[in-house]
C-alpha cells in the first residue's frame, strides 16, 4: 500500500487490542500518579508566556 492510498483511507492504521478495555478507568501505576500529583501540588505547572509562542 502506498502513502497516497493510506492518506485516502478513512479507517485508522493503528488497531488497538480490545482486551485493553478492562484497564479503562483504572490507575495502572498508583505510585507514579501519587508522585506526579505531589510534584504538581508543591511546584506547580510552569508559567507560559503566550506572546513568545505567537512570535515566529
Amino acid at each position: 500500500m502506498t502513502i497516497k492510498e493510506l492518506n485516502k483511507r478513512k479507517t485508522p492504521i493503528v488497531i488497538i487490542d480490545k482486551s485493553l478495555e478492562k484497564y479503562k478507568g483504572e490507575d495502572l501505576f498508583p505510585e507514579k500518579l501519587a508522585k506526579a500529583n505531589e510534584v504538581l501540588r508543591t511546584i506547580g505547572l510552569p508559567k507560559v508566556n503566550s506572546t513568545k509562542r505567537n512570535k515566529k
Side-chain angles (χ1 to χ4, degrees), residues 18-32:
K18 299 292 182 190
S19 66
L20 295 174
E21 287 291 324
K22 63 183 176 184
Y23 299 113
K24 190 174 184 178
E26 191 175 322
D27 295 336
L28 297 179
F29 305 101
E31 300 87 16
K32 289 185 179 185

Side-chain angles (χ1 to χ4, degrees), residues 3-54:
I3 294 176
K4 287 183 182 181
E5 290 173 339
L6 286 173
N7 288 337
K8 289 181 184 179
R9 292 184 73 176
K10 299 294 181 187
T11 57
I13 298 170
V14 178
I15 299 172
I16 299 173
D17 190 1
K18 299 292 182 190
S19 66
L20 295 174
E21 287 291 324
K22 63 183 176 184
Y23 299 113
K24 190 174 184 178
E26 191 175 322
D27 295 336
L28 297 179
F29 305 101
E31 300 87 16
K32 289 185 179 185
L33 180 62
K35 185 174 180 179
N37 284 333
E38 178 68 20
V39 168
L40 285 173
R41 187 178 63 76
T42 56
I43 299 172
L45 293 173
K47 304 289 186 235
V48 178
N49 190 349
S50 61
T51 57
K52 285 185 179 179
R53 221 179 344 164
N54 293 336

